[in-house]
Amino acid sequence: MEKIKESIKKHFSNGPKAVFITMLIIMISAITINSTKKTLYVYIDGKENKIVTFRSNLNGALIANKIEVGPKDKITPRLDSNVKDKDKIYVKKAVKVELDVDGETLTIESAEDDIETMLTAEGIQLNDLDRVSPSKEEPLQDGLKVAITRVETKELKEVKTLDYATVTKRDSNLQQGNKKTIQEGKTGEKVITTRVVYENGKEISRKIVSEVVTKKPVEKIIAMGTLGTYTPSRGVNIRYSNVVKMRATAYTSDYASTGKSPGHPYFGITATGTKARRNTGGYSTIAVDPRVIPLGTKVYVDGYGYAIAEDTGGAIKGNKIDVYFDNNNLVYNWGVKWVNVYILK
């Protein structure tokens, strides 16, 4: 202002005109200064700071008032905005967060509200199973420590061989003590699926989730011979499927044995309708309990010979037989004895 006054004195006289012009210049200067002066309200983390500036640019106004805004700080409106008197400026200062992720420890400056938005802003992606500690909703604060545990699952498939079973079956057509493979066994297969869980690359658990048989095993079948061979005193081999020890008596066709006399229409006729006979060169007639030896069964009676179960008797119950002879003398000679009865094949 002093320079202005001196200039006026130099160019103008000390008259009233000079005074008027001087006052006019002063007024114009004051108006100009007041019109460019601005009062701004700057809120840093919620705390109000009142500043005065002649700058029209927000960044310039903050610098002039020694207010620093870091690269990770958030500011509203933007730094390159123009400001006007009584504008409100909001600054959120970034805090330092320590982050453990993927084997590294990172120091991150962030002005985001919580952990989740910080990770998004930093371009750190989370997979569906990953865990964040503390939780993603935790508000950011200076010195906060955050850890991300990478969780991964894999399903491993293993093919396992299934052993076959061996089944033994009795075969009456095969000599006793002999065996024969009827069907060869074949192994099967099954696929076992195991779910393995890894945390930060280290296995922590595994669990079988399914077992699927893709090929059934085929059982091995072995026939075991049950056909016995007996050689009586005559020296002829007898092939039999079973042998039973039985109490043997003898009978003939007379009245004492059958209750029928000669002339009776059924005299000498067996329960199966055949003629009772003693055939030393072939099959003779014997009486049996059909529940033990079915009628029509061919047998070999030790000491008697070949026979067919053709007859029954009231006293022949259970493990008893009655062998037939043509006369009573042979019946008496036979008497009662225990014999082996071979069921013929």
Side-chain angles (χ1 to χ4, degrees):
M1 290 299 294
E2 293 298 325
K3 290 182 179 180
I4 294 174
K5 290 179 180 179
E6 291 177 2
S7 178
I8 292 173
K9 289 178 180 180
K10 182 178 179 179
H11 294 86
F12 298 96
S13 63
N14 291 329
K17 184 177 181 181
V19 173
F20 173 76
I21 292 174
T22 300
M23 294 302 298
L24 181 61
I25 291 173
I26 293 172
M27 290 177 61
I28 292 173
S29 299
I31 292 172
T32 300
I33 291 171
N34 287 331
S35 64
T36 58
K37 178 183 178 182
K38 304 174 187 66
T39 300
L40 303 179
Y41 298 91
V42 182
Y43 296 89
I44 302 176
D45 292 335
K47 183 178 180 180
E48 183 182 88
N49 294 270
K50 183 178 179 181
I51 65 173
V52 176
T53 183
F54 294 96
R55 305 288 181 90
S56 60
N57 177 265
L58 175 58
N59 189 38
L62 294 177
I63 293 174
N65 284 272
K66 299 182 179 180
I67 296 176
E68 296 182 3
V69 178
K72 289 294 187 74
D73 295 343
K74 282 190 172 183
I75 183 169
T76 304
R78 291 168 45 176
L79 278 174
D80 58 359
S81 302
N82 291 326
V83 291
K84 58 184 183 296
D85 189 37
K86 297 184 180 180
D87 272 353
K88 293 181 178 181
I89 315 301
Y90 298 92
V91 178
K92 186 176 183 183
K93 302 295 288 183
V95 296
K96 289 185 178 182
V97 177
E98 187 178 288
L99 176 63
D100 287 333
V101 60
D102 299 330
E104 295 184 76
T105 299
L106 308 176
T107 300
I108 296 175
E109 290 188 359
S110 176
E112 301 295 336
D113 294 330
D114 51 40
I115 293 175
E116 183 174 23
T117 53
M118 177 197 74
L119 295 176
T120 301
E122 296 295 324
I124 299 173
Q125 296 184 345
L126 294 176
N127 300 317
D128 293 339
L129 299 177
D130 290 347
R131 294 199 311 272
V132 180
S133 179
S135 69
K136 294 184 288 186
E137 294 77 20
E138 182 79 10
L140 293 190
Q141 56 183 330
D142 195 45
L144 180 66
K145 293 183 178 182
V146 180
I148 295 177
T149 301
R150 298 293 191 188
V151 181
E152 181 185 11
T153 62
K154 291 183 180 179
E155 290 195 349
L156 307 180
K157 295 185 182 295
E158 174 191 8
V159 179
K160 185 176 181 180
T161 299
L162 296 176
D163 293 332
Y164 58 80
T166 300
V167 178
T168 302
K169 295 185 176 181
R170 295 168 63 88
D171 189 343
S172 61
N173 294 312
L174 193 62
Q175 190 72 33
Q176 190 176 39
N178 293 342
K179 62 182 180 179
K180 178 182 177 181
T181 300
I182 299 176
Q183 176 177 281
E184 291 291 349
K186 295 181 181 179
T187 57
E189 288 182 350
K190 71 176 177 180
V191 177
I192 301 175
T193 303
T194 303
R195 180 174 293 124
V196 184
V197 179
Y198 301 89
E199 288 187 358
N200 292 334
K202 295 182 180 180
E203 179 182 330
I204 62 165
S205 69
R206 60 173 56 210
K207 180 181 179 182
I208 295 176
V209 294
S210 69
E211 295 186 29
V212 179
V213 176
T214 55
K215 185 169 69 174
K216 292 183 178 180
V218 177
E219 63 184 16
K220 183 177 183 178
I221 301 176
I222 297 177
M224 296 295 294
T226 60
L227 181 63
T229 301
Y230 171 65
T231 304
S233 58
R234 296 178 184 179
V236 179
N237 289 335
I238 298 172
R239 301 175 70 193
Y240 63 90
S241 59
N242 193 19
V243 60
V244 184
K245 196 171 188 64
M246 307 190 80
R247 183 176 183 271
T249 56
Y251 78 109
T252 186
S253 297
D254 64 7
Y255 185 82
S257 296
T258 65
K260 300 178 181 65
S261 301
H264 190 285
Y266 293 107
F267 178 78
I269 303 301
T270 68
T272 59
T274 62
K275 178 76 173 174
R277 66 199 180 279
R278 171 61 173 144
N279 184 1
T280 57
Y283 286 92
S284 301
T285 298
I286 62 171
V288 299
D289 182 347
R291 295 171 301 178
V292 179
I293 299 178
L295 292 173
T297 301
K298 292 181 178 181
V299 299
Y300 182 88
V301 181
D302 213 4
Y304 179 73
Y306 292 99
I308 299 178
E310 295 179 314
D311 209 355
T312 60
I316 307 304
K317 302 297 181 184
N319 280 21
K320 295 180 180 180
I321 61 170
D322 218 359
V323 299
Y324 181 81
F325 287 105
D326 292 329
N327 60 72
N328 284 319
N329 289 332
L330 295 175
V331 171
Y332 297 144
N333 289 337
W334 179 268
V336 179
K337 60 184 69 176
W338 286 90
V339 298
N340 287 329
V341 178
Y342 297 90
I343 310 300
L344 302 183
K345 176 60 182 175

